[in-house]
Every structure is written in structure tokens, then in C-alpha cells.
Coordinates of all heavy atoms in Angstrom, one line a residue:
M1 N 12.0 -26.8 -17.1 CA 13.0 -25.9 -16.8 C 12.7 -24.6 -16.4 O 13.3 -24.0 -15.6 CB 13.9 -25.9 -18.3 CG 15.2 -25.3 -18.1 SD 16.3 -26.2 -17.2 CE 17.8 -25.6 -17.7
L2 N 11.8 -23.8 -17.1 CA 11.3 -22.7 -16.7 C 10.7 -22.6 -15.4 O 11.0 -21.7 -14.6 CB 10.3 -22.1 -17.9 CG 9.8 -20.7 -17.6 CD1 10.7 -19.7 -17.5 CD2 8.6 -20.4 -18.6
L3 N 9.9 -23.6 -15.1 CA 9.3 -23.7 -13.8 C 10.4 -23.8 -12.8 O 10.2 -23.2 -11.6 CB 8.3 -24.9 -13.7 CG 7.5 -25.1 -12.4 CD1 6.7 -23.9 -12.1 CD2 6.7 -26.4 -12.5
E4 N 11.4 -24.5 -12.9 CA 12.5 -24.6 -11.9 C 13.2 -23.3 -11.6 O 13.4 -22.9 -10.6 CB 13.6 -25.7 -12.4 CG 13.1 -27.1 -12.4 CD 14.0 -28.1 -13.0 OE1 15.1 -27.6 -13.4 OE2 13.7 -29.3 -13.1
R5 N 13.3 -22.6 -12.7 CA 14.0 -21.2 -12.6 C 13.1 -20.2 -11.8 O 13.5 -19.4 -11.0 CB 14.4 -20.6 -13.9 CG 15.7 -21.1 -14.4 CD 16.1 -20.3 -15.6 NE 15.8 -21.1 -16.7 CZ 15.6 -20.7 -18.0 NH1 15.6 -19.4 -18.2 NH2 15.4 -21.5 -19.0
L6 N 11.7 -20.3 -12.0 CA 10.8 -19.6 -11.3 C 10.7 -19.9 -9.8 O 10.6 -18.9 -9.1 CB 9.4 -19.6 -12.0 CG 9.2 -19.0 -13.4 CD1 7.8 -19.4 -14.0 CD2 9.4 -17.6 -13.3
V7 N 10.8 -21.1 -9.7 CA 10.8 -21.5 -8.1 C 12.1 -21.1 -7.4 O 12.0 -20.5 -6.3 CB 10.6 -23.1 -8.0 CG1 10.9 -23.5 -6.6 CG2 9.2 -23.6 -8.5
E8 N 13.3 -21.2 -8.0 CA 14.5 -20.6 -7.6 C 14.4 -19.1 -7.3 O 14.9 -18.6 -6.4 CB 15.7 -21.1 -8.4 CG 16.0 -22.5 -8.3 CD 17.1 -22.9 -9.3 OE1 17.8 -22.1 -9.8 OE2 17.2 -24.1 -9.5
K9 N 13.9 -18.4 -8.3 CA 13.7 -17.0 -8.2 C 12.9 -16.6 -7.1 O 13.1 -15.5 -6.4 CB 13.2 -16.5 -9.6 CG 13.0 -15.0 -9.6 CD 14.4 -14.4 -9.8 CE 14.2 -13.0 -10.2 NZ 15.4 -12.1 -10.2
A10 N 11.8 -17.3 -6.8 CA 10.9 -17.0 -5.7 C 11.5 -17.2 -4.4 O 11.1 -16.5 -3.4 CB 9.6 -17.9 -5.9
K11 N 12.6 -18.0 -4.3 CA 13.2 -18.3 -3.0 C 14.3 -17.1 -2.6 O 14.7 -17.0 -1.5 CB 14.0 -19.6 -3.1 CG 12.9 -20.8 -3.0 CD 13.8 -22.1 -3.0 CE 12.8 -23.3 -3.1 NZ 13.7 -24.6 -3.3
E12 N 14.6 -16.4 -3.7 CA 15.7 -15.4 -3.5 C 15.1 -14.2 -2.8 O 13.9 -13.9 -2.9 CB 16.3 -14.9 -4.9 CG 17.0 -15.9 -5.5 CD 17.4 -15.5 -6.9 OE1 17.3 -14.2 -7.2 OE2 18.0 -16.2 -7.7
E13 N 16.0 -13.4 -2.1 CA 15.5 -12.1 -1.4 C 15.1 -11.1 -2.5 O 15.8 -11.1 -3.7 CB 16.7 -11.6 -0.5 CG 17.0 -12.4 0.7 CD 15.9 -12.2 1.7 OE1 15.3 -11.2 1.9 OE2 15.5 -13.4 2.3
P14 N 14.1 -10.2 -2.3 CA 13.8 -9.3 -3.3 C 15.0 -8.2 -3.5 O 15.7 -7.9 -2.6 CB 12.6 -8.6 -2.8 CG 12.5 -9.0 -1.4 CD 13.3 -10.2 -1.1
E15 N 15.0 -7.8 -4.7 CA 16.1 -6.8 -5.0 C 15.9 -5.5 -4.2 O 16.9 -4.8 -3.8 CB 16.1 -6.5 -6.5 CG 17.2 -7.2 -7.3 CD 17.0 -6.7 -8.7 OE1 17.7 -5.6 -9.1 OE2 16.5 -7.4 -9.5
Y16 N 14.6 -5.0 -4.0 CA 14.4 -3.7 -3.4 C 13.5 -4.0 -2.1 O 12.7 -4.9 -2.2 CB 13.6 -2.8 -4.4 CG 14.4 -2.5 -5.7 CD1 14.1 -3.3 -6.8 CD2 15.5 -1.8 -5.7 CE1 14.7 -3.0 -7.9 CE2 16.2 -1.6 -6.9 CZ 15.8 -2.2 -8.1 OH 16.6 -2.0 -9.2
D17 N 13.6 -3.3 -1.2 CA 12.7 -3.2 0.1 C 11.5 -2.3 -0.3 O 11.6 -1.2 0.1 CB 13.5 -2.7 1.2 CG 12.9 -2.9 2.5 OD1 11.6 -3.4 2.4 OD2 13.4 -2.6 3.5
W18 N 10.5 -2.8 -0.9 CA 9.4 -1.9 -1.3 C 8.7 -1.5 0.0 O 8.0 -0.3 -0.1 CB 8.5 -2.8 -2.3 CG 9.0 -3.1 -3.6 CD1 9.6 -4.2 -4.1 CD2 9.4 -2.1 -4.6 NE1 10.2 -4.1 -5.3 CE2 10.0 -2.7 -5.6 CE3 9.1 -0.7 -4.6 CZ2 10.4 -2.0 -6.7 CZ3 9.5 -0.1 -5.8 CH2 10.1 -0.6 -6.9
D19 N 8.6 -2.3 1.0 CA 7.8 -1.8 2.2 C 8.5 -0.4 2.8 O 7.8 0.5 3.1 CB 7.8 -2.9 3.3 CG 6.9 -4.0 2.9 OD1 5.8 -3.7 2.2 OD2 7.0 -5.1 3.4
A20 N 9.8 -0.4 2.8 CA 10.6 0.7 3.3 C 10.3 1.7 2.4 O 10.2 3.0 2.8 CB 12.1 0.3 3.5
Y21 N 10.4 1.6 1.1 CA 10.2 2.7 0.1 C 8.9 3.3 0.2 O 8.8 4.5 0.2 CB 10.4 2.1 -1.4 CG 10.0 3.1 -2.4 CD1 10.8 4.3 -2.8 CD2 8.9 2.9 -3.1 CE1 10.4 5.2 -3.6 CE2 8.3 3.9 -4.0 CZ 9.1 5.0 -4.2 OH 8.8 5.9 -5.2
Y22 N 7.8 2.4 0.3 CA 6.5 3.1 0.4 C 6.2 3.7 1.7 O 5.5 4.8 1.7 CB 5.4 2.0 0.2 CG 5.1 1.6 -1.3 CD1 5.5 0.3 -1.8 CD2 4.8 2.7 -2.2 CE1 5.2 0.1 -3.1 CE2 4.6 2.4 -3.5 CZ 4.8 1.1 -4.0 OH 4.7 0.7 -5.4
K23 N 6.8 3.3 2.8 CA 6.8 4.0 4.1 C 7.4 5.3 3.9 O 6.8 6.3 4.4 CB 7.4 3.1 5.1 CG 7.1 3.6 6.6 CD 7.7 2.7 7.5 CE 6.9 1.6 8.0 NZ 7.4 0.9 9.2
W24 N 8.5 5.4 3.3 CA 9.3 6.7 3.1 C 8.4 7.6 2.2 O 8.2 8.8 2.5 CB 10.6 6.6 2.5 CG 11.2 7.8 2.0 CD1 11.9 8.6 2.7 CD2 11.2 8.2 0.7 NE1 12.3 9.7 1.9 CE2 11.9 9.4 0.7 CE3 10.8 7.8 -0.5 CZ2 12.0 10.3 -0.4 CZ3 10.9 8.6 -1.7 CH2 11.6 9.7 -1.6
F25 N 8.0 7.0 1.1 CA 7.2 7.7 0.1 C 6.0 8.4 0.7 O 5.6 9.6 0.6 CB 6.8 6.9 -1.0 CG 6.0 7.7 -2.2 CD1 6.6 8.6 -3.0 CD2 4.7 7.4 -2.3 CE1 5.9 9.3 -3.9 CE2 3.9 8.0 -3.2 CZ 4.5 8.9 -4.1
F26 N 5.1 7.7 1.4 CA 4.0 8.1 2.0 C 4.2 9.1 3.2 O 3.5 10.1 3.4 CB 3.1 7.0 2.6 CG 2.5 6.1 1.4 CD1 2.4 4.7 1.6 CD2 1.9 6.8 0.3 CE1 1.8 4.0 0.6 CE2 1.4 6.0 -0.8 CZ 1.4 4.6 -0.6
S27 N 5.3 8.9 3.9 CA 5.7 9.9 5.0 C 6.1 11.3 4.3 O 5.5 12.2 4.8 CB 6.9 9.5 5.7 OG 6.6 8.3 6.5
E28 N 6.7 11.2 3.1 CA 7.1 12.5 2.5 C 5.7 13.2 2.0 O 5.6 14.4 2.0 CB 8.0 12.2 1.3 CG 9.4 11.7 1.8 CD 10.0 13.0 2.5 OE1 10.0 14.1 2.1 OE2 10.6 12.7 3.5
Q29 N 4.9 12.4 1.5 CA 3.6 12.9 0.8 C 2.7 13.4 2.0 O 2.0 14.6 1.8 CB 2.8 11.9 0.0 CG 3.6 11.5 -1.2 CD 3.7 12.5 -2.2 OE1 2.8 13.2 -2.4 NE2 4.8 12.5 -2.8
S30 N 2.6 12.8 3.1 CA 1.7 13.2 4.1 C 2.3 14.4 5.1 O 1.6 15.0 5.8 CB 1.2 12.1 5.0 OG 2.3 11.5 5.7
G31 N 3.6 14.4 5.1 CA 4.3 15.5 6.0 C 4.4 15.0 7.5 O 4.7 15.8 8.2
Q32 N 4.1 13.9 7.7 CA 4.2 13.2 9.1 C 4.7 11.7 8.9 O 4.7 11.1 7.9 CB 3.0 13.2 9.9 CG 1.8 12.5 9.2 CD 0.5 12.5 9.9 OE1 0.3 13.3 10.9 NE2 -0.4 11.7 9.6
E33 N 5.2 11.2 10.1 CA 5.6 9.8 10.1 C 4.5 8.8 9.9 O 3.4 9.0 10.5 CB 6.3 9.6 11.4 CG 7.0 8.2 11.5 CD 8.2 8.0 10.4 OE1 8.8 9.0 10.1 OE2 8.4 7.0 10.0
V34 N 4.6 7.9 8.8 CA 3.6 7.0 8.6 C 4.1 5.7 9.1 O 5.1 5.1 8.8 CB 3.3 7.1 7.1 CG1 2.3 5.9 6.8 CG2 2.8 8.3 6.6
A35 N 3.2 5.0 9.9 CA 3.6 3.6 10.5 C 3.4 2.5 9.5 O 3.9 1.5 9.6 CB 2.8 3.5 11.8
G36 N 2.4 2.8 8.6 CA 2.0 1.7 7.7 C 0.9 2.3 6.7 O 0.6 3.5 6.8
Y37 N 0.4 1.5 5.9 CA -0.6 1.9 4.9 C -1.4 0.6 4.7 O -1.0 -0.5 4.9 CB -0.1 2.4 3.6 CG 0.8 1.4 2.9 CD1 0.3 0.6 2.0 CD2 2.1 1.3 3.2 CE1 1.1 -0.3 1.2 CE2 3.0 0.5 2.7 CZ 2.5 -0.4 1.6 OH 3.4 -1.2 1.0
T38 N -2.7 0.9 4.3 CA -3.5 -0.1 4.0 C -4.6 0.3 2.8 O -4.6 1.5 2.6 CB -4.5 -0.6 5.1 OG1 -5.1 -1.8 4.8 CG2 -5.4 0.4 5.7
F39 N -5.1 -0.6 2.2 CA -6.0 -0.2 0.9 C -7.3 -0.6 1.4 O -7.6 -1.5 2.2 CB -5.6 -1.0 -0.2 CG -4.3 -0.7 -0.8 CD1 -3.2 -1.4 -0.5 CD2 -4.1 0.4 -1.6 CE1 -2.0 -1.1 -1.0 CE2 -2.8 0.9 -2.0 CZ -1.8 0.0 -1.8
W40 N -8.3 0.2 1.1 CA -9.7 -0.1 1.3 C -10.6 0.3 0.1 O -10.3 1.2 -0.7 CB -10.2 0.6 2.6 CG -10.2 2.2 2.4 CD1 -9.1 3.1 2.7 CD2 -11.3 3.0 2.2 NE1 -9.5 4.3 2.5 CE2 -10.8 4.4 2.2 CE3 -12.6 2.9 1.8 CZ2 -11.5 5.4 1.9 CZ3 -13.4 3.9 1.7 CH2 -12.9 5.3 1.7
E41 N -11.8 -0.5 0.1 CA -12.7 -0.3 -1.0 C -13.9 0.6 -0.6 O -14.5 0.1 0.4 CB -13.1 -1.7 -1.7 CG -14.0 -1.5 -2.8 CD -14.3 -2.8 -3.3 OE1 -14.3 -4.0 -2.6 OE2 -14.9 -2.9 -4.5
C42 N -14.2 1.6 -1.4 CA -15.3 2.4 -1.0 C -16.6 1.5 -1.3 O -16.8 0.9 -2.4 CB -15.4 3.6 -1.9 SG -16.8 4.6 -1.5
K43 N -17.5 1.5 -0.3 CA -18.7 0.6 -0.4 C -19.7 1.3 -1.3 O -20.7 0.7 -1.9 CB -19.4 0.5 0.9 CG -18.6 -0.5 1.8 CD -19.2 -0.6 3.2 CE -18.4 -1.5 4.2 NZ -17.2 -2.2 3.8
N44 N -19.6 2.8 -1.6 CA -20.5 3.4 -2.3 C -20.1 3.2 -3.8 O -21.0 3.1 -4.7 CB -20.5 4.9 -2.0 CG -21.5 5.7 -2.5 OD1 -22.6 5.2 -2.9 ND2 -21.3 6.9 -2.8
C45 N -18.9 3.7 -4.3 CA -18.5 3.8 -5.7 C -17.5 2.7 -6.1 O -17.1 2.7 -7.2 CB -18.0 5.1 -6.0 SG -16.5 5.5 -5.2
L46 N -17.1 1.8 -5.0 CA -16.1 0.7 -5.5 C -14.8 1.1 -5.8 O -14.0 0.5 -6.5 CB -16.8 -0.3 -6.4 CG -18.1 -0.9 -6.1 CD1 -18.5 -1.8 -7.1 CD2 -18.0 -1.7 -4.7
T47 N -14.3 2.4 -5.4 CA -12.9 2.9 -5.7 C -12.1 2.3 -4.6 O -12.3 2.3 -3.5 CB -13.0 4.3 -5.7 OG1 -13.9 4.8 -6.6 CG2 -11.6 5.0 -6.1
I48 N -10.8 1.9 -5.0 CA -9.7 1.5 -4.2 C -9.0 2.7 -3.8 O -8.6 3.6 -4.5 CB -8.8 0.5 -4.9 CG1 -9.6 -0.6 -5.4 CG2 -7.7 0.1 -3.9 CD1 -10.3 -1.5 -4.4
N49 N -8.8 2.9 -2.4 CA -8.2 4.1 -1.8 C -7.1 3.5 -0.9 O -7.1 2.5 -0.4 CB -9.3 4.9 -0.9 CG -10.4 5.3 -1.9 OD1 -10.2 6.4 -2.6 ND2 -11.5 4.7 -1.7
V50 N -6.2 4.5 -0.6 CA -5.1 4.2 0.4 C -5.3 4.9 1.7 O -5.7 6.2 1.6 CB -3.7 4.8 -0.3 CG1 -2.6 4.4 0.7 CG2 -3.4 4.0 -1.5
L51 N -5.1 4.2 2.7 CA -5.3 4.9 4.0 C -4.0 4.8 4.7 O -3.3 3.7 5.0 CB -6.3 4.1 5.0 CG -6.5 4.6 6.2 CD1 -7.2 6.0 6.2 CD2 -7.5 3.6 7.1
L52 N -3.3 6.0 5.2 CA -2.1 6.1 5.8 C -2.3 6.0 7.1 O -3.0 6.8 7.8 CB -1.4 7.4 5.4 CG -1.2 7.7 3.9 CD1 -0.7 9.0 3.6 CD2 -0.3 6.5 3.3
L53 N -1.5 5.2 7.9 CA -1.8 4.7 9.3 C -0.6 5.5 10.0 O 0.6 5.6 9.6 CB -1.7 3.3 9.5 CG -2.7 2.5 8.8 CD1 -2.4 1.0 9.0 CD2 -4.1 2.8 9.2
P54 N -0.8 6.0 11.2 CA -2.0 6.1 11.9 C -3.1 7.1 11.5 O -2.7 8.3 11.2 CB -1.6 6.4 13.4 CG -0.3 7.3 13.2 CD 0.3 6.7 11.9
A55 N -4.1 6.8 11.2 CA -5.2 7.7 10.8 C -6.7 7.4 11.4 O -6.9 6.1 11.8 CB -5.4 7.7 9.3
R56 N -7.3 8.4 11.7 CA -8.6 8.1 12.4 C -9.7 7.8 11.5 O -10.6 7.1 11.7 CB -9.0 9.3 13.3 CG -8.2 9.5 14.5 CD -8.6 10.7 15.2 NE -8.2 11.9 14.6 CZ -8.6 13.1 15.0 NH1 -9.5 13.3 15.9 NH2 -8.2 14.1 14.3
Y57 N -9.5 8.2 10.2 CA -10.5 7.9 9.2 C -9.9 8.2 7.8 O -8.8 8.8 7.7 CB -11.8 8.8 9.3 CG -11.5 10.3 9.2 CD1 -11.6 10.9 7.8 CD2 -11.2 11.1 10.2 CE1 -11.3 12.3 7.6 CE2 -10.9 12.5 10.0 CZ -11.0 13.0 8.7 OH -10.9 14.3 8.5
G58 N -10.5 7.7 6.8 CA -10.1 7.8 5.4 C -11.2 8.4 4.6 O -12.4 8.3 5.0
K59 N -10.9 9.1 3.6 CA -12.0 9.7 2.7 C -11.8 9.2 1.2 O -10.7 9.3 0.7 CB -11.8 11.2 2.8 CG -12.9 11.9 2.2 CD -12.7 13.6 2.4 CE -13.8 14.4 1.9 NZ -13.5 15.7 2.1
C60 N -12.7 8.8 0.7 CA -12.9 8.2 -0.7 C -12.4 9.4 -1.7 O -12.9 10.5 -1.5 CB -14.1 7.7 -1.1 SG -14.1 7.1 -2.8
R61 N -11.5 9.1 -2.5 CA -11.0 10.2 -3.4 C -12.0 10.4 -4.6 O -11.8 11.4 -5.3 CB -9.6 9.8 -4.0 CG -9.7 8.4 -4.8 CD -8.2 8.0 -5.1 NE -8.2 6.5 -5.5 CZ -8.3 6.2 -6.7 NH1 -8.4 7.1 -7.8 NH2 -8.3 5.0 -7.1
C62 N -13.0 9.5 -4.7 CA -13.9 9.7 -5.8 C -15.3 10.4 -5.4 O -15.7 11.3 -5.7 CB -14.2 8.4 -6.4 SG -15.3 8.5 -7.8
C63 N -15.8 9.8 -4.2 CA -17.2 10.3 -3.7 C -17.2 10.9 -2.2 O -18.2 11.3 -1.9 CB -18.2 9.1 -3.9 SG -17.9 7.8 -2.6
S64 N -16.0 11.0 -1.7 CA -15.7 11.7 -0.4 C -16.6 10.9 0.6 O -16.6 11.4 1.7 CB -16.3 13.1 -0.5 OG -15.6 13.7 -1.5
L65 N -16.8 9.8 0.6 CA -17.4 8.9 1.7 C -16.4 8.6 2.7 O -15.1 8.4 2.5 CB -17.9 7.5 1.1 CG -18.6 6.6 2.0 CD1 -19.9 7.1 2.4 CD2 -18.6 5.2 1.5
L66 N -16.7 8.8 4.0 CA -15.7 8.6 5.1 C -15.7 7.2 5.5 O -16.7 6.3 5.4 CB -16.1 9.3 6.2 CG -16.0 10.9 6.2 CD1 -16.4 11.5 7.4 CD2 -14.7 11.4 5.7
H67 N -14.3 6.6 5.7 CA -14.1 5.3 6.2 C -13.3 5.3 7.4 O -12.4 5.9 7.6 CB -13.3 4.7 5.1 CG -12.7 3.3 5.4 ND1 -13.5 2.2 5.4 CD2 -11.5 2.9 5.8 CE1 -12.7 1.1 5.8 NE2 -11.5 1.6 6.0
L68 N -13.8 4.5 8.5 CA -13.2 4.3 9.7 C -12.4 3.1 9.5 O -12.7 2.0 9.1 CB -14.3 4.1 10.8 CG -15.2 5.3 10.9 CD1 -16.1 5.0 12.1 CD2 -14.3 6.6 11.4
P69 N -11.0 3.0 9.9 CA -10.3 1.9 9.9 C -10.7 0.6 10.6 O -10.3 -0.4 10.1 CB -8.9 2.4 10.3 CG -8.9 4.0 10.4 CD -10.5 4.2 10.4
S70 N -11.5 0.8 11.6 CA -11.8 -0.4 12.3 C -13.0 -1.0 11.7 O -13.3 -2.2 12.0 CB -12.3 0.1 13.8 OG -13.4 1.0 13.8
S71 N -13.7 -0.4 10.6 CA -14.7 -1.1 10.0 C -14.3 -1.8 8.8 O -13.3 -1.6 8.2 CB -15.8 0.0 9.6 OG -15.3 0.9 8.7

């Protein structure tokens, strides 16, 4: 019974459009139009960071290691 309800719930449309919300939120934070975002893991300290697209590079918030989006 519980499994059937979970399957039915998964088929429904989400209540909120989280992609639109995060696109708006990151645009407000960066002060420019953000086309998207991605997460990357620092190879030096293993910290998870957010990269706002379009960006030429990202910088680790912990150790300041530079990250190129193409790598």
C-alpha cells in the first residue's frame, strides 16, 4: 500500500519549480543573468562548490583552488 502511494506520488508534477527558483536565486546573488549552475568537487580538499554558468572558472571556497568548467 505504501509503495503504491510512493509510485503514484513520483508520477505527479512537482509542487515547486526548483530549477527556476535556483536560477532566480543565483542570478540575484551574482548580480548578472545566470544560465545555469553546476556543482564540482575540489580535487585538493574534496569540498563541494557551486559554479554559476556562464563562468570561465570557479574558485574553491575552502582552499581557493581554481577550477575550469571544461575539466
Side-chain angles (χ1 to χ4, degrees):
M1 188 70 163
L2 178 62
L3 182 60
E4 292 173 357
R5 277 192 256 152
L6 289 174
V7 170
E8 289 177 12
K9 181 82 172 164
K11 291 179 184 176
E12 294 176 7
E13 290 290 320
E15 257 183 84
Y16 305 102
D17 186 2
W18 290 108
D19 289 332
Y21 169 75
Y22 281 119
K23 193 181 266 189
W24 168 82
F25 179 74
F26 290 141
S27 294
E28 289 295 315
Q29 295 293 318
S30 68
Q32 64 182 5
E33 185 64 32
V34 173
Y37 58 92
T38 186
F39 297 97
W40 62 278
E41 180 181 21
C42 179
K43 294 180 185 345
N44 187 30
C45 65
L46 303 177
T47 302
I48 303 298
N49 298 284
V50 176
L51 181 64
L52 305 176
L53 301 173
R56 290 183 284 174
Y57 64 91
K59 189 174 182 181
C60 179
R61 58 190 166 95
C62 185
C63 69
S64 299
L65 181 74
L66 292 180
H67 168 76
L68 299 175
S70 59
S71 63

